[in-house]
Amino acid sequence: MNEEQAKERILELREMLEKYNYEYHVLDKPSVPDAEYDQLMKELIELENNHPELHDEHSPTSRVGGAVLDFFEKVEHTVPMLSLGNAFNDQDLRDFDRRVRDGVGSNVSYVAELKIDGLAVSLTYQDGRFVRGATRGDGTIGEDITNNLKTIRSIPFKLKEDVMLEVRGEAFMPKKSFQKLNAHREEEGQELFANPRNAAAGSLRQLDPKIAASRNLDIFVYGVGKLEGHSVDSHDESLTYLNHLGFKTNPEWKKCANIEEVIEYVNSWQEKRPDLPYEIDGIVIKVNSLYQQEELGFTAKNPRWAIAYKFPAEEVVT
Ligand SMILES: NC(=O)c1cc2c(N)ncc(C(N)=O)c2s1
């Protein structure tokens, strides 16, 4: 195979592997058997090793983890990642709804979403390509964990549109992966992780990305921080748009016409929570209209247009 043919084959393999990766990890609908995926990945790794001049940081081969870092760079979030005010019962939700309606009038609808119990991260895309990923940190300054986040297969390297975008999401470890990881650590006489959230956070704070790559982490993207090249008017529209771009969004979100529908949704998921393949610690409720979110604004600490309903801690089944 000459230089030209090798270059062509490398580009072809990169495209195929990213497509198969998206089908498997985002759509959960693989179109080729794992063995074929692995064979193509092996061929690409070999070709890239023989052609270092064709190195591309967005090649699918970088999902297996790159160089070990000495430390994580600090990153400033262009739009602060705020924490949410909490609600613990139906009355708190009704009080939230009254404050919202005092602010924007009674023509308000909400979006309710599962509150994923993981590690909040921010992903930045320039011209539709993944350029940086960071932890929330204190909401303004986080840590650059790009190399670790590149090992999460459901994070797209290239979006369906060449937009400039900063999205928020929750990186998490599925319950099954958590149980397998702790069983392995127990066999090795290592300290166990207390819960999937700690396991996900611990994995993403490793300086060696091969560790994160081995932990079967996943992510649900749930919000836009900054967006150029497209505009949306409501939160449900932004979720649909993020999905269109190629992100993995949580499918259980629900548009609610009023707070009573929100309360129904919260109660139904309090029951169904143990059946989910990942942990949630509550429900996030947001005013759907971005215009109304703008009108409501923020208190010193939290948005006035969103609240987190917290479930009581799940009984630990020993
Ligand atoms: N602190 C925050 O702003 C949020 C935290 C979370 C979380 N852990 N899971 C889901 C959402 C969501 N769907 O909006 C949010 S929003």
Side-chain angles (χ1 to χ4, degrees):
M1 187 188 294
N2 66 33
E3 273 292 304
E4 203 37 49
Q5 287 164 326
K7 181 172 179 181
E8 245 173 65
R9 182 62 177 158
I10 284 176
L11 296 178
E12 181 189 24
L13 284 169
R14 285 176 180 166
E15 199 139 325
M16 281 162 76
L17 286 162
E18 267 309 277
K19 174 172 161 280
Y20 294 153
N21 181 70
Y22 172 74
E23 290 166 349
Y24 188 100
H25 291 282
V26 178
L27 302 181
D28 198 15
K29 291 197 194 90
S31 65
V32 294
D34 295 5
E36 184 174 340
Y37 181 90
D38 296 343
Q39 179 51 41
L40 292 169
M41 178 63 88
K42 191 161 162 283
E43 182 188 350
L44 180 56
I45 290 171
E46 233 163 85
L47 276 171
E48 287 185 347
N49 288 343
N50 298 334
H51 295 273
E53 75 286 2
L54 295 173
H55 174 71
D56 175 345
E57 58 170 348
H58 289 117
S59 170
T61 51
S62 69
R63 292 205 186 267
V64 296
V68 181
L69 298 178
D70 296 330
F71 61 93
F72 292 121
E73 302 273 349
K74 293 291 180 211
V75 167
E76 182 164 2
H77 300 296
T78 42
V79 176
M81 292 176 73
L82 291 173
S83 55
L84 298 176
N86 291 330
F88 297 97
N89 52 50
D90 295 356
Q91 192 51 48
D92 290 348
L93 291 176
R94 293 197 174 97
D95 293 348
F96 165 69
D97 175 53
R98 189 169 357 89
R99 291 194 299 273
V100 164
R101 284 185 294 118
D102 287 351
V104 293
S106 53
N107 176 21
V108 61
S109 63
Y110 296 105
V111 173
E113 300 169 78
L114 302 186
K115 188 170 182 298
I116 311 303
D117 195 3
L119 182 76
V121 294
S122 169
L123 309 176
T124 301
Y125 289 76
Q126 298 284 356
D127 299 326
R129 294 180 85 87
F130 181 49
V131 293
R132 189 179 63 212
T135 62
R136 178 182 176 283
D138 63 6
T140 307
I141 304 284
E143 289 181 320
D144 184 329
I145 54 166
T146 306
N147 285 357
N148 287 338
L149 288 171
K150 284 169 78 170
T151 71
I152 298 184
R153 274 62 170 179
S154 49
I155 290 182
F157 283 172
K158 192 173 177 321
L159 302 178
K160 296 285 185 305
E161 291 178 25
D162 293 349
V163 289
M164 185 278 154
L165 177 69
E166 189 181 299
V167 291
R168 274 83 213 266
E170 200 82 2
F172 66 93
M173 185 180 288
K175 288 176 183 170
K176 275 213 173 64
S177 309
F178 171 69
Q179 282 142 16
K180 272 191 221 148
L181 174 63
N182 262 356
H184 177 70
R185 288 173 76 90
E186 187 149 26
E187 275 162 31
E188 303 283 308
Q190 290 172 315
E191 194 189 342
L192 305 188
F193 283 107
N195 54 52
R197 175 172 35 80
N198 290 5
S203 305
L204 287 171
R205 285 215 189 93
Q206 294 291 326
L207 290 165
D208 177 2
K210 286 197 173 36
I211 295 175
S214 71
R215 294 282 171 82
N216 189 36
L217 297 172
D218 204 343
I219 190 170
F220 285 121
V221 163
Y222 53 66
V224 175
K226 202 169 149 66
L227 170 56
E228 283 167 17
H230 183 85
S231 77
V232 288
D233 298 328
S234 60
H235 182 62
D236 63 335
E237 237 187 282
S238 56
L239 290 174
T240 306
Y241 180 61
L242 289 172
N243 200 272
H244 155 73
L245 287 176
F247 289 108
K248 184 169 184 174
T249 52
N250 188 283
E252 307 301 349
W253 64 270
K254 182 176 188 293
K255 189 174 170 191
C256 300
N258 54 54
I259 201 68
E260 294 313 316
E261 279 187 29
V262 167
I263 290 170
E264 224 173 281
Y265 178 92
V266 166
N267 294 334
S268 76
W269 279 105
Q270 192 141 355
E271 301 304 313
K272 295 186 283 186
R273 179 184 180 195
D275 313 333
L276 284 167
Y278 46 82
E279 291 213 339
I280 62 171
D281 60 346
I283 300 294
V284 173
I285 298 107
K286 297 174 187 169
V287 167
N288 192 36
S289 153
L290 299 191
Y291 175 74
Q292 290 179 332
Q293 288 186 11
E294 194 89 12
E295 269 189 297
L296 288 163
F298 302 82
T299 64
K301 289 189 306 163
N302 314 123
R304 286 197 186 89
W305 43 267
I307 198 159
Y309 182 95
K310 304 286 281 187
F311 288 143
E314 212 167 16
E315 318 72 63
V316 180
V317 180
T318 49

